[in-house]
Amino acid sequence: MVPLFPLLLASHVVCAVVSLLLFLIRGIPSLVLERPLPGRFFRVAPHVTDTLLLATGIALAWTLSLDPLQVPWLGVKLLLVVVYIALGILAFRLHGPRRWRLVLFTLALLVFADIVAIAVTRSPLGLGSL
Ligand code: HEM
């Protein structure tokens, strides 16, 4: 039998990488190069990947019996996931000036980097602990 935990962890990490790639594929043409958004696939696929990222993350936390209210790095990571999603929605859907949307897109990428740093170091300080 394939052990569940390594499989879940590998799926979670693959979802994280694909999620970042799709975010860049969506954001760079529309916000940086001012070209039209790529086709429908690149608008729908991020929702699928992000749902899988969330589901595998919850499954990992459940498997390890980690409670985000008791484990600071997981609590901070979850909060930052919400911030990352909110910044992404604002960057792509806001009808404001392009430079503001670019700032939101860049902030979302920084938050993503912090989430990965928190996951790898298991410290709520994330990038600050490196
Ligand atoms: C943008 C969203 C996310 C990213 C980029 C991300 C990234 C990662 C990465 C790269 C790892 C592997 C760390 C390592 O093995 O060194 C990891 C592990 C993990 N993640 Fe996430 N994650 C995200 C969302 C979530 C969510 C929403 C949850 C929980 C609800 C979660 C829970 C976990 C857990 C429990 C581990 C395993 C830690 C361990 O092995 O001790 N993640 N994450």
Side-chain angles (χ1 to χ4, degrees):
M1 204 174 90
V2 183
L4 183 65
F5 184 79
L7 195 67
L8 268 179
L9 187 58
S11 319
H12 187 65
V13 173
V14 168
C15 286
V17 173
V18 175
S19 171
L20 177 65
L21 287 177
L22 289 172
F23 193 71
L24 292 172
I25 289 173
R26 200 176 167 199
I28 291 174
S30 63
L31 298 174
V32 181
L33 305 174
E34 288 190 87
R35 299 222 181 106
L37 268 181
R40 190 177 140 74
F41 173 82
F42 290 105
R43 283 197 297 271
V44 177
H47 298 298
V48 178
T49 327
D50 291 348
T51 306
L52 287 174
L53 183 59
L54 199 68
T56 49
I58 291 170
L60 279 172
W62 186 76
T63 310
L64 295 169
S65 306
L66 297 175
D67 176 353
L69 296 176
Q70 309 286 336
V71 181
W73 71 262
L74 189 58
V76 174
K77 187 177 171 186
L78 269 176
L79 276 180
L80 288 180
V81 169
V82 174
V83 173
Y84 167 67
I85 292 169
L87 286 170
I89 291 175
L90 286 174
F92 292 128
R93 301 214 184 138
L94 202 76
H95 293 290
R98 192 177 67 98
R99 65 171 181 282
W100 279 113
R101 299 169 63 217
L102 210 48
V103 168
L104 293 166
F105 179 69
T106 311
L107 284 177
L109 288 176
L110 283 174
V111 171
F112 190 94
D114 204 24
I115 293 172
V116 173
I118 289 174
V120 173
T121 60
R122 293 177 186 83
S123 157
L125 295 176
L127 290 172
S129 70
L130 295 177

